[in-house]
Amino acid sequence: MEDATRSFGKGSLPPGPVPDGLIRVYSMRFCPYAHRTRLVLRAKGIRHEVVNINLRNKPEWYYTKHPFGQIPVLENSKCQLIYESVIACEYLDDAYPGRKLYPYDPYERARQKMLLELFYKVPHLTKECLVALRCGRECADLKLALRQEFCNLEEILGYQNTIFFGGDCISMIDYLFWPWFERLDVYGIADCLNHTPALRLWTAAMKQDPTVCALLIDKNIFLGFLNLYFQNNPDAFDYGLAC
Amino acid sequence: MSGSARSLAKGSAPPGPVPEGLIRVYSMRFCPYAQRTLLVLKAKGIRHEIININLKSKPEWFFKKNPFGLVPVLENSQGQLIYESAITCEYLDDVYPGKKLLPDDPYEKARQKIVFELFSKVPSLVTSLLRKQNEEDCSGQKEELRKEISELEEVLTNKKTTFFGGNSLSMIDYLIWPWFERMEILELNDCVDHTPKLKLWMAAMRKDPAVSALLMEPKALRGFLNL
């Protein structure tokens, strides 16, 4: 995998300028927001390099890339920086030729952006469930709230009668949602999909997509990362790397 | 001005379909989010009709236009509905010809969206300060607002331009304007005391035809907020 490189931590030297013809993404192998950007890079066949950041031990230079040290951030060979995952994904779709992930039609485009609004509670709820479970706490209320959000998404699929959120082919909105659904199993909350058959069909269809497939994170490696992460071990971010 | 028509409330009959050649916006005269959409409609010279919604007593049919029951919502003659103010503004810029408010250059467009994110804490801070005007101590929130505003000042300082998108007014300026208009009316001006570039920006904004055509009557806004 392109992003199977050691993360940069405090005291590390900053990477040099981005070579012409390439775009760089500052990332972390297990971050769902950065995952969105990596999906788009892959789906559009964009030549890129990945620089992983140790999020518990951020390099000082990283704050020159993002004021709060967040990921993902795109950096191009003109030293232009783009962040917020959704903005980065749209930038890639606009700037690079080939397969367009957002629809051409302005109304369909707006529909996808409205759908994204429907999704906004999901990242926070899935993370809260993960933290609760990992800390040995109960999370029935959180799971209920998450199931409700999933019901709303289920309703959309039912109303549209399409496999994917943008129609019968995969498109940007599906990639923007995917990272959290991929994590349900490893977070221990896959049962939240029990009452949403269309959403289950969607996840099955997503797993058949070549881009999603290529970036699927190995479950054991993810679990290894989570174990170390919740022990506050800064080596968590490089877990599973070859050397 | 059709924007001053009485609002439709619970029990009202739903309006008919939108005539061809027109786009409809469901709005409310004092809503800053809806003002974004109205600014874009004005700036691009788009023929439109306004239906004001009584937000304290919403018509049942309005939830068919937006399941969240919020304004603004656009409805076109094909019956397509678009909501979330920023999404409506981008939609209008995509669909209608004439002056493009969002830059064509992908990076410049992304920069506008980054600045928009920088602004994102301001609306709730201004709203809660508006509500507290005569009440308890709001110095904590004022400090927070000043901090957010300082970040916007920094953008103008680094860019060295009058407006947030360059030397001409563009989408990002319209998207953030409504809250600065309210800060002036409601005398939260001291929050922009230490930000000279923003002060200049506000003065420049007031000269824009779309902004000045939609300026609220201060008495009307104060009256509305008191109710």
Side-chain angles (χ1 to χ4, degrees):
Chain A
M1 260 214 242
E2 271 138 337
D3 74 333
T5 53
R6 300 206 87 76
S7 58
F8 283 61
K10 219 174 227 155
S12 62
L13 287 173
V18 180
D20 242 355
L22 218 60
I23 191 162
R24 175 183 297 159
V25 58
Y26 296 95
S27 181
M28 191 277 278
R29 291 154 60 221
F30 308 96
C31 169
Y33 295 95
H35 194 169
R36 282 171 161 168
T37 313
R38 293 189 297 110
L39 283 166
V40 172
L41 285 163
R42 185 84 185 203
K44 289 181 67 81
I46 298 170
R47 287 188 62 225
H48 63 284
E49 60 179 33
V50 179
V51 171
N52 288 317
I53 299 297
N54 186 321
L55 297 179
R56 278 276 164 81
N57 201 15
K58 294 177 194 175
E60 304 82 348
W61 56 259
Y62 190 62
Y63 291 90
T64 66
K65 309 296 182 187
H66 189 291
F68 306 122
Q70 291 169 348
I71 53 160
V73 175
L74 288 172
E75 184 174 0
N76 62 22
S77 51
K78 290 184 249 181
C79 302
Q80 292 173 335
L81 298 158
I82 300 104
Y83 47 82
E84 293 301 316
S85 60
V86 176
I87 299 174
C89 291
E90 184 163 1
Y91 168 81
L92 292 172
D93 205 39
D94 285 342
Y96 288 84
R99 182 182 173 198
K100 279 282 167 249
L101 297 177
Y102 269 125
Y104 283 104
D105 177 68
Y107 171 68
E108 291 303 326
R109 248 185 121 94
R111 268 290 296 152
Q112 296 216 358
K113 296 184 179 198
M114 288 186 269
L115 278 178
L116 193 57
E117 293 291 318
L118 265 185
F119 183 77
Y120 86 95
K121 287 185 185 153
V122 172
H124 171 75
L125 285 171
T126 54
K127 184 173 183 175
E128 289 297 296
C129 285
L130 170 70
V131 171
L133 287 172
R134 283 271 159 176
C135 299
R137 288 199 308 268
E138 230 251 335
C139 61
D141 282 348
L142 288 168
K143 285 177 87 169
L144 196 60
L146 187 59
R147 280 201 185 91
Q148 182 53 56
E149 296 305 309
F150 288 169
C151 277
N152 296 340
L153 295 175
E154 178 84 0
E155 230 179 276
I156 298 289
L157 288 175
Y159 170 79
Q160 285 178 179
N161 201 21
T162 56
I163 304 184
F164 297 101
F165 283 97
D168 286 318
C169 302
I170 199 172
S171 62
M172 183 66 88
I173 187 65
D174 304 288
Y175 288 127
L176 293 177
F177 286 176
W178 175 250
W180 286 270
F181 287 91
E182 183 174 325
R183 284 157 178 72
L184 290 178
D185 185 27
V186 76
Y187 284 12
I189 50 175
D191 60 333
C192 287
L193 285 177
N194 282 355
H195 306 294
T196 48
L199 214 45
R200 286 202 304 276
L201 278 172
W202 173 79
T203 53
M206 289 298 282
K207 284 188 183 151
Q208 308 244 329
D209 176 70
T211 301
V212 166
C213 253
L215 298 185
L216 272 173
I217 306 170
D218 178 273
K219 183 172 180 177
N220 288 322
I221 295 182
F222 211 134
L223 284 170
F225 158 73
L226 287 172
N227 290 337
L228 289 177
Y229 182 82
F230 280 94
Q231 289 163 22
N232 282 319
N233 187 327
D235 292 335
F237 303 102
D238 292 339
Y239 183 80
L241 288 178
C243 45
Chain B
M1 210 186 358
S2 53
S4 52
R6 291 204 89 73
S7 59
L8 298 183
K10 209 175 234 162
S12 60
V18 180
E20 265 209 54
L22 216 60
I23 192 162
R24 175 184 295 159
V25 56
Y26 296 95
S27 183
M28 192 276 278
R29 291 158 61 216
F30 304 102
C31 173
Y33 296 94
Q35 192 178 352
R36 286 171 162 167
T37 315
L38 293 173
L39 282 166
V40 172
L41 286 164
K42 199 87 184 184
K44 290 182 69 85
I46 298 169
R47 287 190 61 228
H48 62 283
E49 62 178 31
I50 301 174
I51 292 191
N52 288 314
I53 298 296
N54 185 326
L55 297 180
K56 288 260 158 86
S57 172
K58 296 174 192 180
E60 305 82 347
W61 54 259
F62 186 59
F63 291 88
K64 293 211 182 79
K65 306 298 184 186
N66 180 356
F68 297 113
L70 300 170
V71 294
V73 182
L74 287 173
E75 184 173 359
N76 62 23
S77 52
Q78 296 156 273
Q80 292 172 331
L81 296 153
I82 302 104
Y83 48 82
E84 292 301 316
S85 56
I87 299 176
T88 63
C89 292
E90 189 158 0
Y91 169 82
L92 291 171
D93 205 40
D94 285 342
V95 173
Y96 289 87
K99 181 179 186 202
K100 276 281 163 256
L101 297 175
L102 274 170
D104 280 325
D105 177 67
Y107 173 68
E108 290 305 326
K109 183 175 161 203
R111 272 304 301 166
Q112 294 219 359
K113 296 190 174 199
I114 292 172
V115 174
F116 184 68
E117 286 302 315
L118 259 184
F119 172 78
S120 62
K121 294 197 180 122
V122 171
S124 56
L125 284 169
V126 171
T127 304
S128 72
L129 282 169
L130 295 188
R131 295 205 176 126
K132 284 182 165 181
Q133 278 263 278
N134 303 318
E135 295 169 30
E136 338 101 57
D137 173 45
C138 42
S139 55
Q141 273 161 327
K142 269 195 168 182
E143 243 339 280
E144 259 196 84
L145 184 57
R146 273 195 200 93
K147 190 173 139 269
E148 297 303 316
I149 285 173
S150 290
E151 289 189 19
L152 293 169
E153 175 81 0
E154 222 181 290
V155 172
L156 287 176
T157 308
N158 292 340
K159 247 185 118 64
K160 301 187 172 56
T161 56
T162 311
F163 298 99
F164 281 92
N167 280 318
S168 340
L169 207 154
S170 63
M171 185 66 87
I172 182 64
D173 304 287
Y174 286 129
L175 292 176
I176 70 178
W177 169 253
W179 286 268
F180 285 93
E181 182 181 343
R182 280 154 183 72
M183 279 191 254
E184 263 188 333
I185 294 178
L186 295 146
E187 283 150 42
L188 288 172
N189 273 339
D190 55 330
C191 291
V192 286
D193 262 347
H194 57 310
T195 49
K197 294 201 164 47
L198 262 172
K199 276 210 187 127
L200 285 171
W201 171 79
M202 288 169 75
M205 287 299 281
R206 280 175 169 275
K207 297 206 189 110
D208 176 71
V211 167
S212 56
L214 295 179
L215 280 174
M216 287 178 297
E217 256 290 309
K219 265 200 290 212
L221 176 65
R222 286 196 204 106
F224 163 75
L225 287 170
N226 286 332
L227 284 172

